Amino acid sequence: MQRENRSSGTGFILKGLSDDPMMDLILFFVFLSIYLVTLVGNSTLIIISKIDCNLQTPMYFFLSNLSFLDICYITSIVPKMLVNFLMTKKTISYAGCAAQMYVHLSLGETECILLAVMAYDRYVAICNPLRYMIIMNTHVCIKIALGTWISGFLLSIVHVASTLLLPLCSDEINHFLCEVPAVLRLSCIDTFINEVVIFVVGVLILLIPVFLIAVTYLHILVTILKIQSAKGRSKAFSTCASHLAVITIFYGTAIFMYMRPRTSHSPSMDKMVSVFYLIVTPMLNPMIYSLRNKDVKGALQKAIGKCAQSGKS
């Protein structure tokens, strides 16, 4: 597809995950279930963080931000997927493709920064507990959160603009969404500059935060090992383990997707990786935090108990 056709509003064809109508129907129910579980899980975390006074701390403020971000993240992708699973011809308009690419990249880059911020929050809480609520006061947390969201949405403009300005020779995207590497494969010209842009942004958004998180957790580990109380060490390890699990899953798949050479990309592998970090990870995040966190489980049990009592009365 030529550049002039694109600018007039011509859409794209998405090859999706399968060409088999029966498999598409099965995938529809699988991804619908994942979507609903993600909405319920993350919404529950947000609600109990607001209604339980024990969870109204900086840690759960940022965790609520992560849950809201994950709801937006998966909503920018899955509803369109579900519609296409039921369609013979899977299409997306040029404007829809641009919007989807911008929104999911912005949210993904916001999550990269937010996970690094959450690591700093754990560092202050464990390494400087007496001044934790002073350093991470409400105004500071709000400013950090705003800065995180704004940074993510500004940085993604570079990715999207450099991709959508390319002249394209095809309108068929071998993917289930408008992912940057998949759209770059449609280009009529060499995409070396775009790959450099992806690499530079990847260093800023992925590699630098990972390095900072690693340094932060080294300090945290040293501090935890100095804690004399076994219960104190266990609680510190528990909250950190949840965050490290989320970091490993998200950063690992995102780095694999965006930081490896273009020659090593394959459509089938890219689809699998995208499913994991775009769709599965937002579903896993609330499970990881709730299953490994006694405070969250206690708040959830308390909320369920109140609901049961009000239902009886």
Side-chain angles (χ1 to χ4, degrees), residues 118-133:
M118 292 173 72
Y120 174 73
D121 172 73
R122 291 298 80 211
Y123 166 77
V124 177
I126 293 169
C127 299
N128 204 345
L130 298 178
R131 300 188 62 224
Y132 176 52
M133 295 306 295

Side-chain angles (χ1 to χ4, degrees), residues 154-172:
L154 288 178
L155 283 169
S156 62
I157 293 174
V158 180
H159 259 147
V160 176
S162 63
T163 301
L164 292 179
L165 289 174
L166 288 170
L168 306 179
C169 291
S170 173
D171 63 355
E172 187 173 86

Side-chain angles (χ1 to χ4, degrees), residues 134-312:
I134 298 173
I135 296 172
M136 302 298 290
N137 62 66
T138 303
H139 294 296
V140 170
C141 289
I142 291 172
K143 287 178 182 178
I144 291 174
L146 283 174
T148 299
W149 283 82
I150 292 169
S151 298
F153 275 81
L154 288 178
L155 283 169
S156 62
I157 293 174
V158 180
H159 259 147
V160 176
S162 63
T163 301
L164 292 179
L165 289 174
L166 288 170
L168 306 179
C169 291
S170 173
D171 63 355
E172 187 173 86
I173 301 174
N174 192 0
H175 213 297
F176 59 84
L177 82 159
C178 290
E179 185 83 284
V180 170
V183 176
L184 287 181
R185 282 195 286 269
L186 308 183
S187 176
C188 302
I189 62 174
D190 183 62
T191 58
F192 175 76
I193 301 285
N194 300 78
E195 291 168 40
V196 170
V197 170
I198 290 173
F199 181 80
V200 171
V201 175
V203 170
L204 292 173
I205 291 296
L206 293 170
L207 298 187
I208 291 178
V210 165
F211 173 75
L212 294 174
I213 289 169
V215 172
T216 298
Y217 269 101
L218 280 175
H219 286 285
I220 290 173
L221 180 61
V222 170
T223 303
I224 290 175
L225 293 175
K226 291 179 181 178
I227 298 174
Q228 295 182 352
S229 165
K231 186 177 180 181
R233 285 197 302 271
S234 176
K235 185 174 182 180
F237 271 124
S238 178
T239 57
C240 291
S242 299
H243 186 233
L244 281 172
V246 172
I247 287 170
T248 302
I249 294 169
F250 182 79
Y251 278 107
T253 50
I255 288 172
F256 182 80
M257 184 69 184
Y258 282 95
M259 299 302 293
R260 74 187 200 273
R262 186 187 175 189
T263 52
S264 65
H265 280 261
S266 72
S268 57
M269 179 63 72
D270 285 355
K271 290 177 190 179
M272 288 176 59
V273 175
S274 294
V275 165
F276 204 83
Y277 86 91
L278 293 173
I279 299 170
V280 176
T281 302
M283 178 186 70
L284 293 178
N285 283 352
M287 296 181 186
I288 291 170
Y289 277 104
S290 60
L291 291 175
R292 294 192 58 88
N293 193 305
K294 293 180 180 179
D295 293 335
V296 173
K297 287 191 284 188
L300 189 57
Q301 289 169 359
K302 192 190 299 182
I304 293 171
K306 286 181 179 179
C307 289
Q309 287 179 355
S310 62
K312 290 178 181 178

Side-chain angles (χ1 to χ4, degrees), residues 68-129:
F68 178 69
L69 190 152
D70 282 338
I71 290 172
C72 297
Y73 203 12
I74 198 168
T75 300
S76 70
I77 298 160
V78 172
K80 181 61 180 175
M81 279 184 71
L82 294 177
V83 171
N84 281 340
F85 281 137
L86 302 178
M87 305 295 289
T88 305
K89 189 175 183 181
K90 304 171 177 63
T91 61
I92 187 170
S93 67
Y94 174 72
C97 182
Q100 186 185 69
M101 189 186 297
Y102 176 67
V103 171
H104 95 259
L105 271 175
S106 298
L107 294 170
E109 291 177 358
T110 300
E111 183 156 349
C112 289
I113 303 170
L114 182 59
L115 289 174
V117 168
M118 292 173 72
Y120 174 73
D121 172 73
R122 291 298 80 211
Y123 166 77
V124 177
I126 293 169
C127 299
N128 204 345

